[in-house]
């Protein structure tokens, strides 16, 4: 029998917190670099290369991380891979399964699910306004902590230095404790000076650092990197030394040239200005809703949070927005274990919306939510 397919409702505007502006992708530069790399008949580009990623790219990453994020490492500590998920799977091989890992709650569900499916004992630790609560982490049985100190996803918290030092102290207390630092959206900050990565403060070889070019350039640029503590390099070489690098050499050399020739820095500056403009328009438009909600998480990243004190439920607010053709996201879906939320929180991402669309969409949201 013929069964009608229910089509997903088409939205006019989507405030996706994971969006990025692909209209600004540097097509001409990328095309030019690709041509230059393939200009000569370089057969070595089509051979499988260094398992950790090409040395030339790792030198460039090392230099970039030191200058931009305060990360201290040698190139033999850097492992290049196709996306953070792949690198986390490598990490599971390096560390073995006999670990309990703590995630912030709410958290980045992708990484949480990955470790859960890798049969790790996964726990959650609540966050406060400064990030993961160290006393609650101490009370847990975890010896690994997965954190996003530069821009906690989804809450947008930037962990202050005092809390970072407390977290490092927790890791130092036991030999088999490690911190996995996901440096999520660290490139985009709108208030105050950027705080260096947690890894830069680590003097006891306890931080496993994760970064990616996917957020700053494009999701399809599947180039992420992991900086291993020196104490884990031997384990990596013994257990993963036979695995080929998952990023094609051609792509590695394009990214290497893109950074080395200054295009990456220029692109980042352009995107920062673009996102800052959209951020400012959104914050300005939301002022007229200040009697029913307040904003948090607006100082970094490409999304913010609206905390409501109305009588509606989160689900009702999402439905009201949907009726006007607008997709918004509830904070509840980022919590693990059905965590109770006393206030209603909606996430609004603005990376893939221009200023005109933001103004239109917020006008429609005001109409949708006027009764709350």
């Amino acid at each position: 029998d013929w069964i009608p397919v229910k089509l997903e409702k088409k939205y006019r505007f989507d405030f996706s917190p994971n969006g990025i502006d692909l209209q600004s992708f540097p097509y001409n530069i990328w095309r030019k670099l690709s041509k230059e790399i393939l200009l000569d008949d370089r057969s070595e580009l089509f051979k499988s290369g260094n398992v950790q990623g090409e040395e030339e790219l790792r030198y460039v990453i090392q230099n970039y991380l030191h200058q931009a994020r305060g990360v201290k490492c040698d190139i033999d500590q850097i492992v290049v891979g196709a996306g953070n998920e792949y690198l986390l799977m490598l990490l599971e091989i390096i560390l073995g399964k006999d670990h309990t890992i703590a995630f912030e709650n709410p958290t980045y569900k992708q990484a949480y699910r990955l470790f859960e499916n890798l049969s790790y004992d996964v726990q959650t630790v609540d966050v406060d306004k400064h990030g993961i609560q160290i006393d609650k982490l101490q009370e847990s049985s975890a010896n690994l902590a997965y954190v996003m100190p530069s821009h906690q996803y989804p809450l947008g918290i930037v962990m202050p230095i005092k809390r970072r030092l407390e977290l490092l102290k927790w890791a130092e207390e036991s030999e088999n404790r490690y911190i996995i630092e996901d440096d999520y959206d660290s490139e985009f900050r709108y208030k105050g000076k950027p705080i260096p990565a947690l890894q830069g403060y680590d003097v006891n070889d306890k931080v496993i650092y994760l970064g990616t070019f996917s957020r700053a350039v494009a999701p399809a640029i599947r180039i992420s990197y992991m900086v291993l503590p020196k104490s884990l390099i031997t384990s990596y070489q013994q257990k993963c030394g036979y695995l080929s690098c998952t990023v094609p050499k051609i792509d590695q050399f394009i990214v290497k040239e893109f950074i080395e020739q200054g295009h990456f820095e220029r692109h980042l500056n352009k995107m920062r200005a673009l996102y800052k403009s959209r951020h400012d328009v959104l914050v300005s438009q939301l002022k007229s809703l200040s009697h029913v909600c307040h904003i948090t998480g607006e100082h970094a990243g490409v999304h913010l949070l609206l905390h409501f004190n109305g009588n509606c439920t989160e689900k009702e607010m999402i439905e009201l927005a949907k009726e006007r053709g607008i997709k918004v996201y509830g904070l509840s879906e980022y919590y693990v274990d059905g965590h109770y939320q006393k206030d209603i929180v909606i996430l609004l991402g603005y990376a893939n919306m221009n200023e005109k669309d933001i103004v239109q969409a917020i006008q429609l949201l005001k109409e949708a939510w006027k009764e709350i």
Side-chain angles (χ1 to χ4, degrees):
D1 290 349
W2 178 77
I3 301 168
V5 177
K6 190 178 179 185
L7 295 172
E8 176 72 20
K9 181 177 169 70
K10 184 94 172 88
Y11 291 93
R12 279 183 68 190
F13 302 110
D14 184 353
F15 280 103
S16 171
N18 299 314
I20 75 163
D21 185 346
L22 288 176
Q23 304 301 316
S24 302
F25 182 79
Y27 291 101
N28 290 336
I29 292 162
W30 209 263
R31 201 178 290 120
K32 178 175 165 284
L33 293 175
S34 304
K35 277 183 181 174
E36 284 172 5
I37 285 160
L38 292 168
L39 203 56
D40 302 319
D41 294 338
R42 295 168 64 187
S43 59
E44 76 273 9
L45 285 175
F46 297 92
K47 294 175 184 172
S48 58
N50 192 304
V51 295
Q52 285 184 233
E54 297 309 298
E55 273 196 16
E56 296 95 325
L57 175 61
R58 285 185 286 134
Y59 271 117
V60 168
I61 291 172
Q62 176 202 34
N63 189 41
Y64 164 70
L65 288 178
H66 181 68
Q67 290 183 353
R69 303 297 303 127
V71 170
K72 299 165 189 162
C73 67
D74 301 325
I75 68 157
D76 64 344
Q77 290 173 254
I78 298 171
V79 181
V80 173
N84 282 11
E85 293 93 343
Y86 168 75
L87 292 173
L88 290 173
M89 286 189 272
L90 275 191
L91 192 56
E92 183 257 347
I93 299 170
I94 297 162
L95 294 171
K97 288 192 189 295
D98 192 22
H99 299 281
T100 299
I101 184 165
F103 277 84
E104 301 155 317
N105 203 18
T107 194
Y108 174 48
K109 281 279 191 74
Q110 191 90 335
Y112 178 88
R113 285 194 200 104
L114 182 70
F115 279 99
E116 199 174 36
N117 288 328
L118 290 171
S119 304
Y120 267 71
D121 178 9
V122 184
Q123 298 184 2
T124 58
V125 174
D126 288 343
V127 298
D128 60 20
K129 64 179 181 178
H130 298 310
I132 195 165
Q133 297 183 53
I134 307 303
D135 55 343
K136 292 192 175 177
L137 181 59
Q138 291 278 19
E139 288 166 17
S140 78
S141 58
N143 69 299
L144 300 175
Y146 189 103
V147 295
M148 293 166 276
S150 295
H151 183 244
Q152 202 276 345
Y153 188 79
L155 294 178
I157 296 163
V158 180
M159 190 185 286
I161 290 170
K162 185 173 180 287
R163 180 66 57 89
R164 292 173 187 231
L165 296 176
E166 288 170 0
L167 183 56
L168 286 169
K169 190 172 180 297
W170 167 83
E172 289 158 21
E173 287 168 5
S174 176
E175 194 182 332
N176 73 335
R177 282 183 183 174
Y178 288 99
I179 299 160
I180 302 169
E181 177 183 15
D182 183 343
D183 207 19
Y184 179 81
D185 265 359
S186 62
E187 299 91 355
F188 306 114
R189 188 172 168 86
Y190 311 113
K191 189 179 178 184
K193 288 182 180 175
I195 298 175
L198 182 69
Q199 196 269 5
Y201 296 99
D202 177 27
V203 292
N204 290 288
D205 221 24
K206 288 293 184 179
V207 177
I208 299 157
Y209 177 92
L210 286 173
T212 183
F213 294 114
S214 298
R215 291 288 297 163
V217 185
I221 309 298
R222 304 299 296 158
I223 299 190
S224 294
Y225 43 87
M226 176 166 62
V227 178
L228 291 169
K230 287 181 178 175
S231 56
L232 292 178
I233 291 172
T234 304
S235 177
Y236 164 75
Q237 288 167 345
Q238 287 173 351
K239 296 176 179 179
C240 304
Y242 65 94
L243 295 169
S244 299
C245 181
T246 48
V247 182
K249 281 170 87 169
I250 294 170
D251 293 351
Q252 292 187 53
F253 279 107
I254 293 170
V255 170
K256 176 234 170 201
E257 291 295 332
F258 187 66
I259 300 169
E260 212 165 38
Q261 293 182 23
H263 300 301
F264 183 54
E265 193 176 346
R266 285 190 287 276
H267 178 69
L268 269 183
N269 290 336
K270 177 186 170 184
M271 299 314 290
R272 283 186 191 115
L274 197 71
Y275 291 155
K276 172 77 165 70
S277 174
R278 292 172 186 183
H279 163 277
D280 292 352
V281 168
L282 180 58
V283 170
S284 168
Q285 289 295 310
L286 289 169
K287 279 179 183 165
S288 55
L289 280 171
S290 60
H291 61 294
V292 289
C293 67
H294 69 276
I295 299 169
T296 64
E298 75 275 28
H299 300 318
V302 288
H303 78 273
L304 51 75
L305 296 93
L306 290 182
H307 298 252
F308 288 87
N309 44 23
N311 299 318
C312 277
T313 65
E314 182 190 277
K315 192 177 176 184
E316 285 168 340
M317 297 200 69
I318 292 168
E319 279 302 313
L320 286 168
K322 186 178 181 179
E323 284 167 19
R324 304 276 173 159
I326 301 169
K327 187 159 185 158
V328 298
Y329 300 76
L331 182 62
S332 63
E333 67 184 83
Y334 297 93
Y335 275 100
V336 179
D337 307 328
H339 186 97
Y340 171 69
Q341 261 177 260
K342 46 181 193 297
D343 57 348
I344 303 141
V345 186
I346 300 291
L347 277 74
L348 296 181
Y350 47 85
N352 58 0
M353 294 175 74
N354 61 41
E355 285 88 341
K356 188 182 163 193
D357 286 350
I358 289 168
V359 172
Q360 266 189 285
I362 295 300
Q363 289 306 317
L364 289 167
L365 280 182
K366 284 176 196 169
E367 290 169 23
W369 293 339
K370 66 173 182 277
E371 300 301 327
I372 60 169

